[in-house]
Amino acid sequence: CFEAGATELPNSGQTSCLIQHRANSSKTLLDTQDSVFSEQQWKCISQYGASVDAELPGFAQVLEKRRFGGIGNPTLEGSVVLGAGFGTTATRSLAAFGRQLGLQVHHCKQGKADGIPPFWAQLMNLTKSGHPGGPVGCLEASDALNFSEALSFGDDMLLDTPVAEHFLDLYAVSPRSKVILTDRDAEDWVKARLEWDESMAAPMHAPCGVKLAKMSADKAVRLYE
């Protein structure tokens, strides 16, 4: 899952892949791979891929080719808190709470180009706008990113877009991190998200420019669930 020379780390999580997924998906499309993910977590990722594939055919094939974490290396430190919940699920409140605790928080900075590190700017662009080369180009660009850079800016907590959309990549380089999943009713989330900004990405891993506004509300709800 990582570049040659990367150190594999054991992962104690055996009950969940820590991402939003439909629990009734039983079809498995992915094989267990050598990575920081446990066998149970890979099964969960596989089920997630199958559930999204039912809505967006071809997604699972893209997912199974991903090198989660890009060219980054996993770390034993695990001091960063990862937010697995999409934006508009009280992530602003969580960010405010983190700052009250004295934590340095990276919270969605879309539309604020000044002062954003190139890594975050590139990941945000891939998430919202995709890639000129289509899904294949986006896949290659994501695999070429060093997701370990996300841990190098002194942040204690990473939240919202594009963290949630690339949670698996960030968890792959920081498998000891604590994870907070913020959530809300799916139909309510879709409505609120579109009211906030119609350019928002669909609720899925690595949407690569797939827009929430370009799909039916029912499909968006199923993807979120």
Side-chain angles (χ1 to χ4, degrees), residues 89-172:
T89 59
T91 55
R92 281 184 294 172
S93 297
L94 181 57
F97 177 65
R99 293 184 182 111
Q100 288 176 356
L101 295 177
L103 303 178
Q104 182 167 318
V105 180
H106 174 92
H107 184 237
C108 180
K109 292 181 171 61
Q110 62 179 357
K112 303 175 183 177
D114 294 340
I116 297 180
F119 167 80
W120 285 117
Q122 185 176 359
L123 187 59
M124 178 68 82
N125 187 58
L126 283 175
T127 300
K128 293 196 65 180
S129 303
H131 191 277
V136 174
C138 193
L139 167 69
E140 293 175 348
S142 297
D143 284 348
L145 280 176
N146 181 358
F147 281 86
S148 293
E149 285 191 45
L151 312 177
S152 68
F153 304 113
D155 296 307
D156 302 302
M157 182 181 287
L158 308 178
L159 302 173
D160 211 316
T161 303
V163 176
E165 289 83 356
H166 283 273
F167 170 76
L168 291 176
D169 288 296
L170 294 165
Y171 189 72

Side-chain angles (χ1 to χ4, degrees), residues 161-193:
T161 303
V163 176
E165 289 83 356
H166 283 273
F167 170 76
L168 291 176
D169 288 296
L170 294 165
Y171 189 72
V173 296
S174 188
R176 299 286 179 87
S177 283
K178 301 297 183 183
V179 177
I180 298 177
L181 174 60
T182 50
D183 197 10
R184 69 187 292 178
D185 175 78
E187 291 185 8
D188 182 48
W189 180 86
V190 171
K191 180 180 178 181
R193 196 68 164 163

Side-chain angles (χ1 to χ4, degrees), residues 2-225:
F2 298 97
E3 63 178 347
T7 302
E8 289 187 22
L9 302 177
N11 191 295
S12 59
Q14 296 294 323
T15 59
S16 172
C17 60
L18 304 175
I19 58 174
Q20 294 158 312
H21 65 284
R22 295 224 296 277
N24 64 348
S25 176
S26 59
K27 184 178 180 182
T28 298
L29 295 180
L30 301 181
D31 294 326
T32 300
Q33 304 178 31
D34 292 332
S35 73
V36 297
F37 296 120
S38 69
E39 182 176 353
Q40 183 64 27
Q41 287 171 333
W42 266 114
K43 182 178 179 180
C44 186
I45 294 170
S46 176
Q47 291 174 343
Y48 170 74
S51 70
V52 176
D53 202 75
E55 305 296 336
L56 299 172
F59 174 83
Q61 291 183 353
V62 173
L63 190 68
E64 70 180 353
K65 295 178 181 178
R66 279 300 322 280
R67 184 171 62 239
F68 293 118
I71 62 172
N73 291 314
T75 176
L76 282 168
E77 294 182 2
S79 59
V80 175
V81 177
L82 297 177
F86 295 113
T88 323
T89 59
T91 55
R92 281 184 294 172
S93 297
L94 181 57
F97 177 65
R99 293 184 182 111
Q100 288 176 356
L101 295 177
L103 303 178
Q104 182 167 318
V105 180
H106 174 92
H107 184 237
C108 180
K109 292 181 171 61
Q110 62 179 357
K112 303 175 183 177
D114 294 340
I116 297 180
F119 167 80
W120 285 117
Q122 185 176 359
L123 187 59
M124 178 68 82
N125 187 58
L126 283 175
T127 300
K128 293 196 65 180
S129 303
H131 191 277
V136 174
C138 193
L139 167 69
E140 293 175 348
S142 297
D143 284 348
L145 280 176
N146 181 358
F147 281 86
S148 293
E149 285 191 45
L151 312 177
S152 68
F153 304 113
D155 296 307
D156 302 302
M157 182 181 287
L158 308 178
L159 302 173
D160 211 316
T161 303
V163 176
E165 289 83 356
H166 283 273
F167 170 76
L168 291 176
D169 288 296
L170 294 165
Y171 189 72
V173 296
S174 188
R176 299 286 179 87
S177 283
K178 301 297 183 183
V179 177
I180 298 177
L181 174 60
T182 50
D183 197 10
R184 69 187 292 178
D185 175 78
E187 291 185 8
D188 182 48
W189 180 86
V190 171
K191 180 180 178 181
R193 196 68 164 163
L194 288 173
E195 289 176 351
W196 177 261
D197 186 348
E198 290 191 353
S199 70
M200 291 295 184
M204 55 189 288
H205 180 77
C208 286
V210 177
K211 301 292 186 184
L212 180 62
K214 297 294 184 180
M215 60 181 60
S216 69
D218 288 343
K219 177 178 285 190
V221 166
R222 290 192 295 271
L223 284 176
Y224 180 88
E225 292 177 335

